[in-house]
Amino acid sequence: ARSAGGRFLVRKKKEVEPSMPAQVTNYQCPGCTGPLHFVGASGKLECEYCGASYDVAEIEALYAEKEEKAAAAQQAAEEKAAEKKETSDGGDWDTSGFSDDWGEEGEGMKAYSCPSCGAELICDESTAATSCPYCGNPTVVPGQFAGQLKPDFIIPFKYSKEDAVKALKEHCAGKIFLPKSFTNENHIQKIQGIYVPFWMFDGEAEGDAHYQATRSRTYTSGDYEITETRHFDVYRAGRVTFEKVPVDASSKMPDDHMDSIEPYDYKKLKPFSTAYLPGYLADKFDVTVEQSRERADQRCQGTLDAALRSSVRGYDTCIQTGGSSSLQRGKVHYALMPVWMLNTKWHGKDFTFAMNGQTGKLVGDLPMSWGRFLGLFAAIAAPLSILGTIVSVLMLR
């Protein structure tokens, strides 16, 4: 039997992106001219000197004229990119909207590099960069802020440094094989909030898939229990429009850590503004769009596969046996995502933990106390050995 289905269409409404925010040299407190720091808990810019707090929109409104110019330039770039025609095989990802022109805003930024792991970081001039958030190297030297690609979007930090410390404690709690000394608070050597670069891909995927599915039922007939299995040849075809499929653009961030702390809530994406940077570092991408192409294609293909598979319902088993697809590549966006990096040392070994600065999800490997493991194993094995001996004696009698 062939299941009903046929073609289907899944479309997301196009999100209307707000205009790009102001390009400013630095954000200062209107009351005392002190540097403003974005605090995730309150969602506002706060002054460490006079204690005043402001909404981001309120501060950006002070630079309305520059905002309008930036928005006009961004809109012109996007309109130009929209006119670009794709080739029949899907073409390349559209990166025509990228810009390294930060204007006057770039004068208030600094660049740093780590001679140990090669990380390149940027931040506003009020942020003190004293060590590398990836390898913990205390020697982070100033560099030339030039040619830095300006992000399109950013997700601000929601969780604080104190939240990251608390999350690490909770991550260690209840793990009986964790060495007791590792749980001491002083093992945390460096905690740094860092915005990790991401490429975000728009496009469309179209294809079909064949499945072998079964549906079974069991019933009793006289003295027999009968299982009846029906087999189905299932076919699905459709088209999926996707927006902002994320791919990590930093080679320094461990891929397993980055994948594990996903997902982010991309509905909270905001147009990039340096107002969110004070107090944090921002990693410069070192994995290009071209180098990310294969992974982006795989994720887009996975979006189509998941959409087709989700339409096959009412079966006990379902195995895909074939299919085909084509990808229409579209716009690429550059975004920064918030991550807390926690570096620790224990018995001469480095341990790195990463926490999603928006959701609070923390991941990282922990050491094992082999003494505790062997002790517990011996405690369990001894009673079992005695029980086995008793059973053997009884059987011999």
Side-chain angles (χ1 to χ4, degrees):
R2 180 179 294 273
S3 71
R7 298 182 64 83
F8 71 99
L9 175 66
V10 179
R11 286 193 180 276
K12 283 182 67 177
K13 289 184 178 179
K14 183 177 180 181
E15 297 178 1
V16 179
E17 298 176 1
S19 300
M20 288 294 291
Q23 290 192 358
V24 298
T25 56
N26 195 12
Y27 285 91
Q28 296 179 332
C29 175
C32 69
T33 70
L36 295 175
H37 177 80
F38 181 77
V39 179
S42 64
K44 293 185 176 183
L45 291 163
E46 298 183 2
C47 178
E48 298 179 358
Y49 292 93
C50 69
S53 62
Y54 306 90
D55 292 329
V56 172
E58 182 180 359
I59 295 299
E60 289 185 336
L62 298 176
Y63 306 90
E65 182 178 355
K66 293 181 180 180
E67 287 181 355
E68 292 174 357
K69 291 181 180 180
Q74 178 68 15
Q75 183 176 358
E78 291 180 353
E79 290 175 352
K80 181 179 179 181
E83 296 175 356
K84 183 178 179 181
K85 294 182 179 180
E86 301 292 349
T87 60
S88 58
D89 64 349
D92 292 328
W93 292 107
D94 180 6
T95 61
S96 59
F98 291 158
S99 172
D100 58 4
D101 182 13
W102 290 63
E104 296 181 7
E105 192 174 16
E107 298 176 4
M109 305 297 292
K110 287 185 178 181
Y112 295 90
S113 61
C114 177
S116 178
C117 71
E120 295 187 51
L121 310 166
I122 60 175
C123 62
D124 84 311
E125 60 186 0
S126 66
T127 302
T130 57
S131 63
C132 178
Y134 292 111
C135 67
N137 190 316
T139 306
V140 180
V141 296
Q144 180 67 33
F145 182 78
Q148 303 284 356
L149 191 64
K150 187 174 182 178
D152 299 313
F153 301 103
I154 189 171
I155 291 183
F157 274 86
K158 180 179 179 180
Y159 286 86
S160 66
K161 179 183 295 186
E162 291 73 22
D163 294 326
V165 174
K166 180 180 178 181
L168 181 57
K169 291 180 179 179
E170 293 175 351
H171 184 66
C172 297
K175 294 178 172 56
I176 59 176
F177 296 131
L178 184 66
K180 185 176 181 180
S181 59
F182 188 83
T183 60
N184 292 336
E185 205 171 317
N186 59 6
H187 79 280
I188 300 176
Q189 295 194 350
K190 179 63 179 177
I191 304 176
Q192 177 65 61
I194 181 169
Y195 284 106
V196 177
F198 271 79
W199 302 121
M200 309 189 81
F201 299 86
D202 296 346
E204 187 175 271
E206 183 175 7
D208 57 26
H210 294 268
Y211 305 92
Q212 289 293 330
T214 64
R215 187 183 296 133
S216 301
R217 71 185 185 98
T218 301
Y219 59 92
T220 302
S221 178
D223 296 332
Y224 296 94
E225 183 180 83
I226 300 174
T227 298
E228 178 184 275
T229 301
R230 302 176 64 191
H231 295 263
F232 299 85
D233 176 21
V234 183
Y235 175 78
R236 291 290 188 270
R239 181 172 65 254
V240 176
T241 299
F242 51 84
E243 294 182 353
K244 298 180 178 62
V245 175
V247 175
D248 174 21
S250 173
S251 65
K252 278 84 65 180
M253 174 65 74
D255 289 339
D256 54 348
H257 283 37
M258 197 70 263
D259 292 342
S260 297
I261 64 174
E262 289 187 25
Y264 288 88
D265 181 3
Y266 298 110
K267 294 180 182 179
K268 303 296 184 181
L269 278 171
K270 297 181 179 296
F272 176 78
S273 170
T274 53
Y276 300 108
L277 291 184
Y280 306 102
L281 298 177
D283 189 9
K284 175 186 176 183
F285 74 91
D286 61 355
V287 180
T288 65
V289 173
E290 291 74 18
Q291 292 170 333
S292 303
R293 174 170 174 158
E294 181 178 355
R295 190 177 179 193
D297 289 353
Q298 290 175 349
R299 287 203 163 189
C300 295
Q301 178 66 51
T303 302
L304 174 64
D305 292 342
L308 293 174
R309 177 63 181 84
S310 65
S311 70
V312 183
R313 304 184 184 93
Y315 300 98
D316 298 324
T317 65
C318 181
I319 301 175
Q320 184 172 348
T321 58
S324 63
S325 64
S326 63
L327 178 65
Q328 189 74 15
R329 301 180 183 89
K331 185 73 175 176
V332 182
H333 307 277
Y334 181 27
L336 299 179
M337 306 298 177
V339 177
W340 283 105
M341 297 295 294
L342 299 90
N343 299 102
T344 71
K345 283 186 180 292
W346 185 76
H347 286 193
K349 295 182 179 180
D350 293 321
F351 293 87
T352 300
F353 301 86
M355 189 184 90
N356 187 315
Q358 182 195 37
T359 67
K361 183 179 181 181
L362 182 142
V363 298
D365 297 327
L366 294 170
M368 174 182 284
S369 172
W370 287 102
R372 290 189 178 187
F373 174 79
L374 294 176
L376 182 61
F377 177 79
I380 296 175
L384 293 177
S385 177
I386 295 174
L387 179 61
T389 302
I390 294 175
V391 171
S392 299
V393 171
L394 293 175
M395 292 180 64
L396 291 173
R397 288 184 177 181

